């Protein structure tokens, strides 16, 4: 079988519990696995460059071969840049009710200029904090709309990663183990050119959301099956995670990834790369 790629992505650095993020960095250093971190620029009404503990940890991440990309503005609403997918709304029932009962006020926050301004302000913070311009974007709660993609293109973002190939990870979060939802078929299960011109790199699923010990075998089986299917089809495997949901008392998530990394290595000719490295090696 030809070579394949494994990409670990992780969301929300810059928000809370930096000690949990440090735990993930320690784990990845031992595993020798790079990650793509999607960083929140202005969480808790404070710009990232005004959070010295976070700046030090994220500088460490860069020095250890990880990648930092753009993750929204404040991340204080599921609707910050668009409407989350249906399976995400199913695990945020209050947001689902708001959207279904009165969508107009939510849609009003998704004008092109509003989204462009948030992207610009967030990018400026990341630029002055780290000295480089992020080229990738992931939306909080995966909420997207057409104006978001247009704004990303117009601002020179090269890629985003908001589409989900296998919604079952979110069904598992709700303990809907028998849902049986198939892989998405309305977009390719590999990086592709979005109609806006931005490259979209769809992720497979989330596997480590606040797992308990008894969850690990079932969730590992889901992740392994997704990895195997992607590998058989000659496609990269892209996983989503959240550092605070897989460390500390929830470090069962790290044990799952330890098993998954070992399994991937055992298949032979599997490369662990950041998302930016993947797209450089496999241009669309």
């Amino acid at each position: 079988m030809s070579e394949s790629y494994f990409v670990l992505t992780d969301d929300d650095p810059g928000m809370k519990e930096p000690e949990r993020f440090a735990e993930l960095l320690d784990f990845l250093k031992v595993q020798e696995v790079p990650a793509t971190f999607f960083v929140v620029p202005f969480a808790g009404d404070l710009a990232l460059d005004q959070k010295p503990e976070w700046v030090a940890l994220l500088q460490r991440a860069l020095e250890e071969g990880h990648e930092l990309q753009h993750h929204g503005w404040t991340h204080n609403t599921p609707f910050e840049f668009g409407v989350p997918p249906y399976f995400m709304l199913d695990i945020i029932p209050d947001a689902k009710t708001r959207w279904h009962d009165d969508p107009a006020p939510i849609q009003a926050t998704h004008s092109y200029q509003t989204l462009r301004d948030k992207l610009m302000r967030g990018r400026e913070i990341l630029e002055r904090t780290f000295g480089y311009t992020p080229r990738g974007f992931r939306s909080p709660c995966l909420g997207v709309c057409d104006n978001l993609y247009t704004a990303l293109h117009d601002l020179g973002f090269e890629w985003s990663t908001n589409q989900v190939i296998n919604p079952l990870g979110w069904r598992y979060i709700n303990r809907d183990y028998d849902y049986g939802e198939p892989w998405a078929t309305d977009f390719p299960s590999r990086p592709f050119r979005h109609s806006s011109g931005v490259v979209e790199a769809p992720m497979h699923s989330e596997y480590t959301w606040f797992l308990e010990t008894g969850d690990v075998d079932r969730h590992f089986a889901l992740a392994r099956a997704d990895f195997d299917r992607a590998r058989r089809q000659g496609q990269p495997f892209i996983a989503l995670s959240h550092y605070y949901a897989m460390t500390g008392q929830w470090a069962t998530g790290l044990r799952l990834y330890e098993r998954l990394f070992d399994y991937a290595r055992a298949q032979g000719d599997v490369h662990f790369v950041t998302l930016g490295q993947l797209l450089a090696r496999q241009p669309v």
Side-chain angles (χ1 to χ4, degrees), residues 133-264:
T133 300
R135 299 298 182 187
F137 178 81
R138 176 175 285 158
S139 185
C141 298
L142 310 182
V144 298
C145 63
D146 290 344
N147 284 337
L148 168 62
Y149 279 103
T150 303
L152 288 170
H153 174 266
D154 292 351
L155 289 172
F157 283 86
E158 295 175 1
W159 53 268
S160 71
T161 173
N162 294 298
Q163 302 300 318
V164 169
I165 296 169
N166 187 0
L168 277 183
W170 284 266
R171 301 306 185 193
Y172 277 30
I173 287 172
N174 260 357
R175 300 300 194 262
D176 293 335
Y177 295 124
D178 299 323
Y179 201 94
E181 190 161 1
W183 273 22
T185 58
D186 53 345
F187 56 85
S189 51
R190 64 182 184 279
F192 63 94
R193 183 76 58 180
H194 186 270
S195 59
S196 65
V198 174
V199 170
E200 174 66 28
M203 72 204 80
H204 283 81
S205 205
E206 172 138 18
Y207 307 102
T208 51
W209 184 258
F210 296 113
L211 301 186
E212 298 179 355
T213 302
D215 298 325
V216 68
D217 287 343
R218 190 192 302 265
H219 287 248
F220 170 73
L222 176 64
R224 182 182 59 194
D226 284 354
F227 171 82
D228 285 343
R229 182 169 173 179
R231 183 168 162 81
R232 285 196 306 271
Q233 297 178 354
Q235 298 163 355
F237 174 72
I238 302 174
L240 170 66
S241 64
H242 290 78
Y243 66 92
Y244 50 82
M246 58 193 291
T247 52
Q249 71 183 95
W250 308 109
T252 296
L254 297 183
R255 305 289 77 77
L256 183 151
Y257 271 110
E258 191 172 45
R259 287 176 63 181
L260 190 60
F261 294 158
D262 286 347
Y263 177 79

Side-chain angles (χ1 to χ4, degrees), residues 96-107:
K96 182 177 181 180
T97 299
R98 285 174 53 207
W99 171 245
H100 285 296
D101 288 354
D102 193 10
I106 294 171
Q107 291 172 322

Side-chain angles (χ1 to χ4, degrees), residues 260-272:
L260 190 60
F261 294 158
D262 286 347
Y263 177 79
R265 292 186 186 102
Q267 309 315 302
D269 210 12
V270 174
H271 304 280
F272 295 92

